[in-house]
Amino acid sequence: MNIFRYFEGRVEAALEGLVKEGVLPPGLDYTRVAVEPPRDPSHGDLSTNAAMVLARPAGAKPRDLAERLAARLSTEEAVTEVSVAGPGFINLRLEPAFWLARVPDILRAGPSYGASDIGKDEAVNVEYVSANPTGPMHVGHVRGAVFGDALANLLEKVGYRVCREYYINDAGGQIEVLSRSAFLRYREALGHDIGGIPEGLYPADYLKPVGAALAAAYGKDLLEKDEPEALQIAREAAVEAMMELIRGDLAVLGITHEVFFSELSLHKSGAIERTLKTLEDKGLIYIGTLEPPKGELPDDWEARPQTLFRSTEFGDDTDRALKKSDGSWTYFAPDIAYHLDKFERGYRTMIDVWGADHSGYIKRMKAAIAGVTGGEAEFDVKVCQMVRLFRNGEPVRMSKRSGDFITLRDVVDEVGKDVVRFMMLTRKNDAPLDFDFAKVMEQSRDNPVFYVQYAHARIHSVLRKAVEEGGYDLSDGALANASLGRLGDEAEMTLMRLMAAFPRQVEQAALAHEPHRIAFYLYDLASAFHALWNKGKDEPSLRFILPEDRDATLARLALIRATAHVIASGLGVLGVEPIEEMR
């Protein structure tokens, strides 16, 4: 139950009552009416802007309308106090019984608590990682991989039908370099002295198995073939091997994709030509010469006529080249064709997760998608800023295993999948993130992943003790029938209010495409639980297990069991396994 949406319904019912009284005109638009937590918790439990947003269309003064609306809301069940603040905000305070009733709701829902159907089964495509298949995943890919996967989980949690997609950049200059690097390793596997790796080729050892596999499959035959044919064979073998390596790297983070889409397939199928024809039919391409941009010249600029897309018609700073004067495609052309393909597969909502080095590409892609889909597609790009690695405060620059960069597996092997996933979501995606190997393993409240997991483990420790020493039935059904009226301390109420807010947190995070909000929420919830635990240490009457009072014990066990469910639900969105016992 999203209590805020529930009370939005009650506010709208109260507004309709004022319409019937003639205070408000019929047909008002309620879409901007919101019920939210007040900025200052001392003002109440809920706050609505209804009077503020409806006063002008209703021809009323906000404060006057707020007073009339407050009078109606004061008669609502569970509302104990209504006050008007400032120019017309309405604050509501709810009776304790309302919050107590949320605990059985959570127990009945279990770890699925917070799920909703606001997505209405709408198809959403989330494309993330999409690293060039030229080697193993490095640490620079980790944040986008975790962010994209958590975002997909979040959207599924609220009822969207999500496709997790990976775009394989298997065409272009880097793949040509990969082909030549693999062929060199093939010659090495045959016993040739290849000397030092020529500048411009990939020097790391991860291509040695590719060369060995080519030697085992073809012997010396590739040496007899024309270079283009031999390199084509090497290319296919190398890309397949690198994608297998990448899938394995992602698997250690618990990440899988439903679709792996090949850029090369766009070139082979004629999809790029068809896309240009679509744009041409819409009058959106022309032959022209771009003005030289200020600063460093981009790769697609030429001082000669090119095929250009009218990107400025859709908010871009300049028109963009699709084809160079030599007839070859720019990077932009296959990217448009790829997103048109997504659209034609039924995805009206597309979310791309990019690295910070691609942020300058956003405007042109938004313009292109608006143009090629006639404005029917919603396109959002989430940029993940870089991760800076530290060890005890000192920057980490080299990997002992790879020699030249830090691999994803280096990081996961050292601290574990769940630590990596949680920590990658402890800052908003567009802010740089510092990852210190020592700090993420600290057992302190300054380490958010430990602090949240410790709360979950502490709860299960109490539950185990309750079974062992008191023989309590801790099934969710039994606990849902506990005498929750025995609860009422302010620390207990704070915990209940926080848990009741979780469904709204999930929906707001999903609509904003911001999974980090769930990590922040879990830290706050863990803090509230640990505060209650510590209060029980100081005040024995607030301890979770009271041998002389089974009813109070059952009520508190119900409360903390519900807390564990909410933590597990939130961690599930982040792709983190909740821990029941700390090691």
Side-chain angles (χ1 to χ4, degrees), residues 38-44:
R39 290 183 180 179
D40 184 346
S42 67
H43 293 168

Side-chain angles (χ1 to χ4, degrees), residues 313-385:
E313 291 192 11
F314 302 93
D316 198 2
D317 301 323
T318 183
D319 290 343
R320 303 291 180 176
L322 297 170
K323 185 184 285 189
K324 300 177 183 178
S325 58
D326 64 2
S328 63
W329 301 116
T330 64
Y331 290 118
F332 192 36
D335 285 345
I336 302 174
Y338 172 48
H339 286 83
L340 178 59
D341 183 272
K342 291 184 189 180
F343 182 75
E344 290 174 342
R345 282 186 271 144
Y347 298 107
R348 297 299 182 265
T349 300
M350 296 175 259
I351 305 169
D352 286 6
V353 180
W354 294 354
D357 55 339
H358 290 85
S359 57
Y361 205 65
I362 295 174
K363 274 190 176 181
R364 73 184 68 181
M365 278 311 306
K366 286 192 171 184
I369 292 169
V372 80
T373 68
E376 293 184 32
E378 179 184 338
F379 178 58
D380 187 22
V381 177
K382 307 304 288 188
V383 172
C384 289
Q385 288 290 340

Side-chain angles (χ1 to χ4, degrees), residues 192-232:
H192 292 205
D193 181 5
I194 62 171
I197 305 298
E199 187 175 349
L201 298 188
Y202 296 119
D205 291 346
Y206 58 78
L207 285 174
K208 284 187 175 182
V210 179
L214 286 168
Y218 293 95
K220 297 182 180 180
D221 290 353
L222 294 187
L223 298 175
E224 307 300 324
K225 295 182 182 295
D226 292 339
E227 183 181 76
E229 184 180 359
L231 289 178
Q232 172 70 9

Side-chain angles (χ1 to χ4, degrees), residues 17 21 84 99 144 150 187 326 406 412 509 521 529-530:
E21 291 178 11
V84 177
W99 302 110
R187 289 180 47 227
D326 64 2
I406 300 164
V412 175
Y521 168 85
F529 168 76
H530 290 305

Side-chain angles (χ1 to χ4, degrees), residues 53-249:
V53 300
L54 294 178
R56 177 174 291 181
K61 293 180 179 179
R63 184 88 188 188
D64 292 344
L65 178 55
E67 296 287 355
R68 298 295 294 269
L69 182 56
R72 277 193 162 269
L73 291 173
S74 66
T75 65
E76 285 288 332
E77 186 179 358
V79 174
T80 60
E81 180 186 334
V82 182
S83 61
V84 177
F89 287 103
I90 302 172
N91 297 316
L92 294 82
R93 196 176 301 278
L94 307 180
E95 62 183 16
F98 177 85
W99 302 110
L100 294 173
R102 307 287 68 80
V103 174
D105 289 348
I106 298 168
L107 291 170
R108 294 184 189 104
S112 68
Y113 179 65
S116 74
D117 60 357
I118 64 168
K120 302 187 184 306
D121 203 39
E122 178 189 338
V124 177
N125 184 286
V126 182
E127 181 212 327
Y128 56 107
V129 187
S130 298
N132 291 325
T134 55
M137 304 288 291
H138 59 72
V139 70
H141 300 124
V142 175
R143 193 176 187 186
V146 171
F147 175 88
D149 204 54
L151 176 57
N153 291 341
L154 184 58
L155 293 169
E156 287 178 337
K157 183 87 168 177
V158 298
Y160 289 95
R161 183 162 35 90
V162 179
C163 174
R164 302 158 191 256
E165 188 152 325
Y166 187 118
Y167 182 54
I168 307 172
N169 294 276
D170 52 357
Q174 288 186 311
I175 297 301
E176 176 70 18
V177 173
L178 177 70
S179 305
R180 293 187 178 278
S181 302
F183 191 78
L184 189 68
R185 293 301 189 180
Y186 158 71
R187 289 180 47 227
E188 181 183 41
L190 291 176
H192 292 205
D193 181 5
I194 62 171
I197 305 298
E199 187 175 349
L201 298 188
Y202 296 119
D205 291 346
Y206 58 78
L207 285 174
K208 284 187 175 182
V210 179
L214 286 168
Y218 293 95
K220 297 182 180 180
D221 290 353
L222 294 187
L223 298 175
E224 307 300 324
K225 295 182 182 295
D226 292 339
E227 183 181 76
E229 184 180 359
L231 289 178
Q232 172 70 9
I233 292 170
R235 184 196 68 78
E236 291 175 358
V239 169
E240 182 179 351
M242 293 304 99
M243 286 309 302
E244 196 63 32
L245 191 62
I246 286 169
R247 286 186 181 94
D249 288 344

